[in-house]
Amino acid sequence: MSIGNSPEDERPFEDVSEEARPSVGHALRRARIAAGLTVDDVSSATRVRIAIVHAIESDDFAPCGGDVYARGHIRTLAKAVHLDPAPLIAQYESEHGGGRPAPTPAAPLFEAERIRPERRGPNWTAAMVAAIVVVIGFVGFTMVNGGDDGDNANVAEGTEPTTSPSPTPTTKKPADPAPDPSDSAIAAAPQDKVTVRVTAADGRSWISAKDHNGRLLFDGLLKQGDSKTFQDSSKVNLVLGDAGAIDLFVNGKKIEDDWQPGAVERLTYTKGDPQAG
């Protein structure tokens, strides 16, 4: 527990004369205190830095780094203190004149990383075989020359020297190179379904998952080390409250993406993902 930061010691920013509708920051702070949570608790649950939580509760959104990040932090904090984020985001947009961003074009929200062929190393097997052939040839050549000298010295006068047949060097057929490894992770996943596995590898994160009909599969907080697997016949929709803490596997393949701590990501995956480019 943080010293001097307990819910009982905190007081509202404004007195009883404030307007009927509280500010965004005041609403978040009041809900946090009502839930019995400290700023440290909220920061640990959402991975939003303590300084940013304090700034948002004071209606100072400059540390968020822009309207997009501010809306994402408001949504994440509202979920953590059990508030509906939609009214707070709408209030933020009306007060700051940001407006909603332009609608996203009708295209997949995720473009799979192109699968890069594995770089082959030197063919050491063929090099070893070639070296063995050279050694055998050299030994055979030496044996033939040495044998001729000895035979000529011991041949009786008037007789024909006999020569022994020189050994024929043998060569080994180079081993066939091993085939490129297939992507076993994707091959092992069911081809007729989409399978998504979410693991809270680097901390706690709130997540939500729905199937292709919009039916809620899960909505809650994953503790660090926890995992959830979702499967549907055609599509899985995800919302990650803290994408930077998540390891994501789609149809057996790990998704590599540079998600920042505290970033909120909305993702959709189908049974064809990730696409090979």
Side-chain angles (χ1 to χ4, degrees):
M1 176 180 293
S2 300
I3 300 176
N5 196 25
S6 64
E8 295 80 2
D9 294 336
E10 298 192 48
R11 299 292 184 268
F13 285 113
E14 301 171 359
D15 57 22
V16 295
S17 64
E18 67 177 347
E19 297 180 358
R21 185 178 72 167
S23 67
V24 174
H26 181 76
L28 290 172
R29 182 173 185 269
R30 186 170 61 184
R32 173 177 59 76
I33 295 173
L37 299 173
T38 66
V39 172
D40 286 343
D41 294 334
V42 173
S43 177
S44 298
T46 62
R47 294 182 66 86
V48 177
R49 295 196 303 272
I50 293 176
I52 294 180
V53 176
H54 277 301
I56 291 176
E57 289 189 353
S58 301
D59 293 306
D60 179 9
F61 299 97
C64 295
D67 289 339
V68 174
Y69 295 106
R71 284 191 291 268
H73 289 327
I74 291 171
R75 183 182 292 107
T76 301
L77 296 179
K79 288 287 187 179
V81 298
H82 313 299
L83 283 181
D84 182 5
L88 296 177
I89 293 174
Q91 181 179 348
Y92 169 82
E93 291 171 348
S94 65
E95 292 175 353
H96 293 80
R100 291 189 176 274
T104 304
L109 293 178
F110 169 77
E111 180 179 355
E113 179 184 6
R114 295 180 182 272
I115 300 178
R116 299 181 177 89
E118 182 175 329
R119 181 179 299 174
R120 295 185 181 180
N123 192 338
W124 295 111
T125 302
M128 291 178 64
V129 171
I132 292 173
V133 171
V134 171
V135 171
I136 293 175
F138 178 79
V139 172
F141 177 79
T142 303
M143 291 177 63
V144 171
N145 289 343
D148 289 345
D149 293 339
D151 291 341
N152 292 336
N154 295 323
V155 171
E157 184 177 358
T159 62
E160 294 292 332
T162 60
T163 59
S164 60
S166 61
T168 303
T170 59
T171 60
K172 295 182 180 180
K173 182 181 179 182
D176 294 331
D180 291 337
S182 61
D183 197 339
S184 58
I186 294 179
Q191 299 298 314
D192 58 340
K193 295 181 180 179
V194 54
T195 304
V196 177
R197 181 175 179 83
V198 181
T199 301
D202 298 324
R204 297 187 296 178
S205 175
W206 170 85
I207 68 168
S208 173
K210 295 182 180 180
D211 63 9
H212 71 283
N213 290 321
R215 183 172 63 91
L216 187 65
L217 302 176
F218 179 80
D219 186 291
L221 187 68
L222 285 187
K223 296 180 180 179
Q224 185 171 5
D226 288 351
S227 296
K228 287 288 183 181
T229 301
F230 311 106
Q231 196 171 73
D232 189 70
S233 60
S234 61
K235 182 171 65 175
V236 172
N237 297 305
L238 289 177
V239 179
L240 307 180
D242 181 8
I246 294 298
D247 280 350
L248 192 59
F249 298 82
V250 177
N251 294 327
K253 183 173 179 62
K254 185 176 181 180
I255 303 303
E256 301 291 348
D257 207 325
D258 190 21
W259 291 322
Q260 298 300 316
V264 178
E265 294 290 340
R266 295 179 177 273
L267 307 168
T268 298
Y269 297 105
T270 66
K271 59 186 179 182
D273 291 326
Q275 299 290 340

